[in-house]
């Protein structure tokens, strides 16, 4: 379990990191918490000649909640997301989901930026960010650009990020209404068999808006517009939840693996979504 | 690729060594520095046997490159206690049969140490959740949880007595 040799870099600014990524092209990879990349390097499934460690770039850290907008630096760890009081108050959905990721040791190391940039369909943050309609800021040699989380994921491990771009921050509006993150896993510390992120707003007993995203049920996260629409205008009764679950099932594309056959995963997806909708509705 | 100069503070002692960047922290500790308390269990980031405290966080040292740890402060089980002066957690693991073969124990205790720094008066459920990155194939966990709760009580009583 020893990875191939590489050259190690520890730049202290975004510009210096981007310069290294530009100089070395696809031979270089950013290193955040390392808890997806290092296992891949140990298995020699990732071939990296230049490792660009982001730990010394102070500007990539931090959580800001201001005027209803939340901005989170890429190098903010899952542990920090869980323990930030202002974030827990503004967006309790983040805390609820983060507590269901991996285990304590992994959460001290794993970052939001690494989790969303990785492109592994098993990661929980991409679906969560699609549910929140987050925007990612990428910095490259020609400056910064923004990409919506809902447009970022192309296929497993393929994203809209170019090799010489750094993901610097994630931004979204603090949602109103009720929320829930529901995840089915084989054991604590496991990736999802199926997971659902749900946001619901209600007025006068009727659902006025909804956002639903599913995790590990296709080669990208699945934001389900049709499932959300099935809830809007309803009283969030069993019939509406059933319609949302049916719409979700036709949007996902699970594959058989060691977490189970397609039928099982589809069934579990329905169960977690129904539970997440009910919990979000009870909090709306 | 060449070796690099690495400085670490391990259990309060400054260490300098040469290592390839790809060397894992667990290998540096065990093979270069002879600190064999942290164990290699799975080597795949799952079991927690290699847990050490790095800059105030519990980390799986099989999933940290030596190069990343350059400049870090590290505490291992050797830094918590020794046979002549056991740490309260070590005492309580002994008292409550929190170990059988002992393979997971250094990782368990090092993790429990950080967990109790963050949550000095935990419930049983919080202990189980806080220790969920450490696997044990012998004890069934029951006595590990008991030992940690007992250590928390001891530490809190000692703190009160000191005030
Ligand atoms: C035992 C175990 C269980 C886990 N369980 C879960 C789980 O249940 N759910 C879950 O979501 N995750 C899980 N993970 C993964 C964990 O959350 C990772 O930490 C996370 O996926 C990646 O974050 P990182 O900071 O460690 O990134 P790294 O591993 O450092 O990087 C991941 C990828 O993103 C790239 N990258 C990192 N940062 C940037 C950036 N700022 N800009 C551009 N590219 C960047 C890297 O080049 C690399 O390709 C688990 C990991 C382990 C070891
Ligand atoms: S040896 Fe590091 S987690 Fe198992
Ligand atoms: S005591 Fe044997 S693995 Fe825990």
């Amino acid at each position: 379990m020893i990875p191939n040799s590489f050259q190690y870099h520890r730049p202290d600014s975004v510009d210096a990191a981007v310069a290294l990524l530009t100089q070395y092209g696809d031979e270089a990879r950013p290193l955040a918490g390392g808890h997806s990349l290092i296992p891949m390097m140990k298995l020699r499934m990732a071939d990296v000649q230049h490792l660009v460690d982001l730990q010394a770039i102070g500007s990539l850290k931090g959580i800001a909640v201001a005027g209803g907008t939340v901005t989170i630096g890429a190098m903010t760890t899952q542990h920090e997301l869980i323990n930030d009081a202002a974030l827990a108050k503004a967006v309790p959905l983040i805390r609820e989901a983060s507590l269901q990721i991996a285990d304590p040791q992994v959460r001290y190391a794993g970052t939001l930026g690494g989790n969303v940039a990785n492109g592994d369909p098993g990661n929980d943050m991409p679906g969560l960010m699609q549910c929140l309609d987050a925007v990612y800021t990428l910095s490259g040699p020609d400056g910064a650009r923004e990409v919506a989380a809902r447009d970022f994921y192309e296929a497993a491990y393929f994203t809209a990020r170019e090799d010489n771009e750094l993901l610097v921050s994630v931004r979204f509006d603090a949602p109103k209404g009720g929320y829930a993150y529901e995840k089915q896993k084989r054991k604590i510390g496991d990736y999802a068999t199926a997971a659902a992120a749900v946001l619901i707003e209600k007025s006068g007993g009727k659902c006025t808006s909804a956002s639903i995203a599913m995790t590990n049920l296709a080669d990208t996260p699945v934001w389900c517009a049709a499932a959300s629409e099935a809830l809007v205008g309803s009283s969030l009764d069993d019939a509406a939840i059933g319609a949302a679950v049916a719409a979700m099932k036709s949007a996902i594309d699970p594959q058989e693996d060691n977490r189970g056959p397609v039928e099982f995963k589809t069934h579990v997806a329905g169960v977690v979504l129904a539970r997440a909708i009910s919990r979000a509705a009870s909090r709306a | 690729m060449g070796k690099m100069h690495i400085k670490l503070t391990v259990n309060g002692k400054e260490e300098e060594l040469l290592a390839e960047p790809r060397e894992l922290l667990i290998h540096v500790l065990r093979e270069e520095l002879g600190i064999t308390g942290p164990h290699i269990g799975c080597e795949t980031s799952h079991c927690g046997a290699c847990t050490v405290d790095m800059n105030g966080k519990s980390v799986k040292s099989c999933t940290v490159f030596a190069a990343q740890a350059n400049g870090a402060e590290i505490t291992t089980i050797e830094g918590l206690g020794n046979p002549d002066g056991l740490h309260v957690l070590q005492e309580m693991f002994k008292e409550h049969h929190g170990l059988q073969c002992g393979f997971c124990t250094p990782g368990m205790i090092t993790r429990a140490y950080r967990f109790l720094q963050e949550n000095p008066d935990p419930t049983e459920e919080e202990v189980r959740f806080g220790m969920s990155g450490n696997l044990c194939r012998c004890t069934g966990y029951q006595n590990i949880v008991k030992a940690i709760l007992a250590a928390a009580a001891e530490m809190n009583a000692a703190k009160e007595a000191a005030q």
Side-chain angles (χ1 to χ4, degrees):
Chain A
M1 295 290 283
I2 311 281
N4 228 326
S5 293
F6 56 81
Q7 208 158 340
Y8 176 80
H9 308 267
R10 197 189 281 189
D12 59 9
S13 69
V14 170
D15 288 348
V18 168
L20 286 163
L21 295 178
T22 304
Q23 181 180 351
Y24 295 113
D26 62 4
E27 293 184 354
R29 286 282 274 276
L31 175 73
H35 274 54
S36 288
L37 186 55
I38 295 174
M40 297 277 277
M41 290 173 69
K42 284 162 79 177
L43 294 167
R44 303 212 176 191
M45 285 161 66
D47 185 24
V48 180
Q49 269 119 60
H50 291 272
L51 199 56
V52 180
D53 187 347
L54 309 178
Q55 68 166 290
I57 308 178
S59 65
L60 294 179
K61 278 258 176 208
I63 301 169
V65 183
T69 301
V70 179
T71 310
I72 304 175
M75 286 295 282
T76 307
T77 64
Q78 284 146 189
H79 179 80
E80 288 161 347
L81 294 177
I82 290 168
N83 289 293
D84 190 275
L87 183 65
K89 193 157 170 272
V91 198
L93 174 63
I94 301 263
R95 186 168 195 275
E96 180 160 296
S98 301
L99 283 166
Q100 298 179 61
I101 292 180
D103 63 41
Q105 280 94 322
V106 176
R107 292 193 294 265
Y108 284 114
T111 65
L112 176 61
N115 201 300
V116 299
N118 196 29
D120 182 336
N123 280 133
D124 289 284
M125 290 296 185
L128 191 65
M129 293 304 138
Q130 291 196 343
C131 181
L132 287 161
D133 199 11
V135 171
Y136 302 159
T137 301
L138 304 167
S139 246
D142 304 324
R145 68 181 178 116
E146 299 194 328
V147 181
R150 291 178 189 169
D151 299 328
F152 188 72
Y153 300 94
E154 294 165 356
Y157 299 103
F158 285 92
T159 67
R161 185 182 74 85
E162 301 293 336
D163 284 340
N164 60 6
E165 286 180 312
L166 208 59
L167 196 151
V168 293
S169 64
V170 173
R171 191 185 72 235
F172 51 87
D173 291 337
K176 300 181 198 79
Y179 64 92
Y181 196 75
E182 182 79 24
K183 175 174 173 179
Q184 164 67 38
K185 51 193 172 180
R186 295 171 300 179
K187 60 176 255 301
I188 215 163
D190 192 20
Y191 291 93
T193 302
V198 173
L199 287 167
I200 283 176
E201 284 178 58
K202 272 195 316 202
S203 166
K206 291 257 188 273
C207 173
T208 55
S209 90
S211 178
I212 292 174
M214 307 298 294
T215 289
N216 221 7
L217 293 160
D219 67 350
T220 62
V222 180
W223 181 68
C224 305
S228 314
E229 279 156 23
L231 297 179
V232 174
S234 79
S235 60
L236 298 164
D237 52 9
D238 289 349
I241 294 176
V245 166
M248 176 278 290
K249 284 184 179 173
S250 53
I252 60 175
D253 181 24
Q255 303 297 315
E256 173 163 353
D257 60 16
N258 56 10
R259 290 189 179 81
V262 172
E263 295 76 9
F264 173 70
K265 289 185 172 185
T266 308
H267 175 72
V268 175
V271 173
V272 295
L273 179 57
R275 283 185 192 163
I277 293 172
S278 300
R279 194 157 75 244
S282 75
R283 289 162 164 172
Chain B
M1 249 157 253
K3 294 197 171 189
M4 64 182 272
H5 215 84
I6 289 177
K7 278 193 194 179
L8 300 169
T9 306
V10 186
N11 299 326
K13 194 169 152 230
E14 284 187 26
E15 307 276 5
E16 285 196 47
L17 53 104
L18 287 172
E20 279 189 65
R22 65 170 169 164
E23 276 183 62
L24 297 164
L25 178 59
I26 185 72
H27 294 139
V28 167
L29 291 172
R30 292 179 59 86
E31 285 156 32
E32 312 276 346
L33 301 176
I35 295 172
T36 54
H39 291 156
I40 302 175
C42 64
E43 237 195 320
T44 57
S45 330
H46 286 96
C47 74
C50 63
T51 300
V52 303
D53 206 70
M54 182 165 118
N55 297 330
K57 300 168 184 172
S58 307
V59 299
K60 293 173 177 174
S61 59
C62 73
T63 314
V64 176
F65 286 126
Q68 281 177 289
N70 193 8
E73 274 199 39
I74 289 163
T75 305
T76 68
I77 187 72
E78 285 89 344
L80 293 181
N82 60 59
D84 301 324
L86 292 184
H87 188 273
V88 193
L89 275 161
Q90 291 170 315
E91 282 289 354
M92 290 301 116
F93 268 64
K94 186 173 142 215
E95 190 72 24
H96 293 274
H97 302 281
L99 63 149
Q100 288 178 20
C101 79
F103 194 85
C104 70
T105 317
M108 283 284 175
I109 292 183
T110 313
R111 168 60 194 147
Y113 164 77
R114 178 54 49 197
F115 171 69
L116 291 181
Q117 301 287 309
E118 292 178 359
N119 186 353
D121 194 16
T123 62
E124 178 184 331
E125 202 186 328
E126 286 166 351
V127 171
R128 290 183 184 276
F129 193 70
M131 295 300 296
S132 57
N134 293 74
L135 303 182
C136 175
R137 303 199 84 170
C138 302
T139 63
Y141 301 100
Q142 197 61 27
N143 290 344
I144 292 177
V145 175
K146 254 194 230 167
I148 295 170
L149 287 168
E154 286 270 322
M155 288 158 84
N156 291 335
K159 240 185 273 164
E160 253 170 54
Q163 275 164 11

